[in-house]
Amino acid sequence: MSSVLRSLWSYRFFILSSIKNDLRARFTRSKLGGLWMVIHPLAQVLIFALILSEVLSAKLPGVDNKYAYALYLMAGMLFWTLFAETIQRCLTLFIDNANLMKKMAFPRLCLPVIAAGTMLVNNVLLCAAIFGVFAVLGHFPDANAIWLPVLVLMTLALAMSLGTLLGVINVFMRDLGQVIPVVLNALFWLTPVVYNLNALPARYQAWFKFNPLYVLVTSYQNVLVYGKPPLWGQLGGLVLATVLLAGVALVMFRKSSAEMVDAL
């Protein structure tokens, strides 16, 4: 691990310049530039809010705001956007960078780190936009919002660990690239992002809590909407699972690095 960290540190300027170039390339010739990174998820929030608010807004106890459902939805989408987009980015990360891996000599682990940096910048911009919307709607998160950066890093670590593992497998089994978007779509509706778990019958609520993403999305909603601390007790188990998953992903990545270049 120490050798990995040293190699990444040696290529820190390459990583930073790649993140900058990646962000710049996404919006070349675009009039609105980086605003598109927040327009898309906010537009999705608006659509869900307009369609579902009449059904679910009355079922958000503890939030004294007529836009309670929109607030709840934005908190959930802040989590889901980071998680899902990171998974999708990592899924084709090595395939998209095949030419770079073949022509340049650099630590291959730089690629996931660059992807993580890009996703983090995207999420910070989205977070700033959501806080601006919160202010317009008259909602101001309390001191518990200080835990938001911790939750963001936990989400990014989980998504990068899982995404890197899937990205390595996808190099050798391209069908995975078709399956994962379907799985993510199903997982979205199995995670309380657009609905409150209390709106479901009590006999079903316990089943939804087996979803490991439930702990993270609920913690986001607690600190941003309800003024409560994160679910620290359950997050501890998720941190341990993330560390184990990251270890598995790193081992598989290092063992498959040479074979990936041949397969690409």
Side-chain angles (χ1 to χ4, degrees):
M1 179 60 70
S2 60
S3 62
V4 170
L5 294 176
R6 283 198 299 270
S7 63
L8 290 176
W9 178 253
S10 299
Y11 281 81
R12 62 190 182 280
F13 296 113
F14 168 71
I15 293 172
L16 293 174
S17 63
S18 296
I19 293 173
K20 182 179 179 180
N21 292 335
D22 190 14
L23 293 170
R24 182 184 298 164
R26 291 181 61 185
F27 305 105
T28 301
R29 300 181 183 277
S30 172
K31 297 294 184 181
L32 296 179
L35 288 177
W36 287 114
M37 288 187 287
V38 300
I39 290 175
H40 289 162
L42 287 180
Q44 189 175 11
V45 166
L46 179 61
I47 292 171
F48 278 125
L50 290 175
I51 295 175
L52 300 177
S53 60
E54 292 299 323
V55 178
L56 297 176
S57 61
K59 300 178 181 180
L60 290 176
V63 184
D64 186 19
N65 191 301
K66 65 178 181 179
Y67 303 107
Y69 177 69
L71 301 173
Y72 179 89
L73 182 56
M74 281 187 280
M77 288 301 296
L78 181 62
F79 156 75
W80 181 258
T81 300
L82 177 60
F83 178 80
E85 289 189 355
T86 301
I87 295 289
Q88 292 173 336
R89 174 70 181 275
C90 290
L91 187 61
T92 60
L93 181 63
F94 306 114
I95 297 174
D96 293 340
N97 290 279
N99 290 333
L100 188 62
M101 293 177 67
K102 292 178 180 179
K103 296 178 180 179
M104 288 186 61
F106 65 97
R108 302 296 188 254
L109 199 60
C110 288
L111 294 176
V113 175
I114 292 168
T118 304
M119 292 297 101
L120 186 58
V121 172
N122 290 351
N123 198 248
V124 168
L125 292 176
L126 177 59
C127 183
I130 285 178
F131 269 83
V133 176
F134 276 9
V136 171
L137 298 181
H139 177 74
F140 300 94
D142 66 8
N144 284 294
I146 196 174
W147 298 115
L148 181 60
V150 177
L151 296 175
V152 168
L153 292 178
M154 292 176 64
T155 303
L156 185 62
L158 174 62
M160 286 301 304
S161 301
L162 180 58
T164 301
L165 181 61
L166 293 174
V168 172
I169 298 174
N170 191 40
V171 172
F172 306 100
M173 299 175 56
R174 299 298 174 90
D175 289 343
L176 193 65
Q178 308 301 321
V179 174
I180 295 302
V182 178
V183 173
L184 284 175
N185 190 43
L187 191 59
F188 174 78
W189 293 105
L190 292 174
T191 305
V193 176
V194 301
Y195 58 85
N196 189 290
L197 205 59
N198 294 326
L200 301 177
R203 62 181 180 276
Y204 296 128
Q205 292 181 20
W207 290 101
F208 279 78
K209 291 182 180 179
F210 283 108
N211 179 353
L213 301 184
Y214 162 79
V215 181
L216 273 172
V217 71
T218 301
S219 295
Y220 270 76
Q221 293 156 349
N222 278 357
V223 303
L224 291 177
V225 181
Y226 292 108
K228 299 178 181 178
L231 303 177
W232 291 122
Q234 299 173 59
L235 284 172
L238 187 61
V239 169
L240 178 59
T242 300
V243 171
L244 294 175
L245 185 60
V248 172
L250 181 59
V251 170
M252 180 172 286
F253 175 79
R254 298 196 68 176
K255 288 187 175 182
S256 305
S257 184
E259 296 178 11
M260 280 197 297
V261 176
D262 294 334
L264 293 170

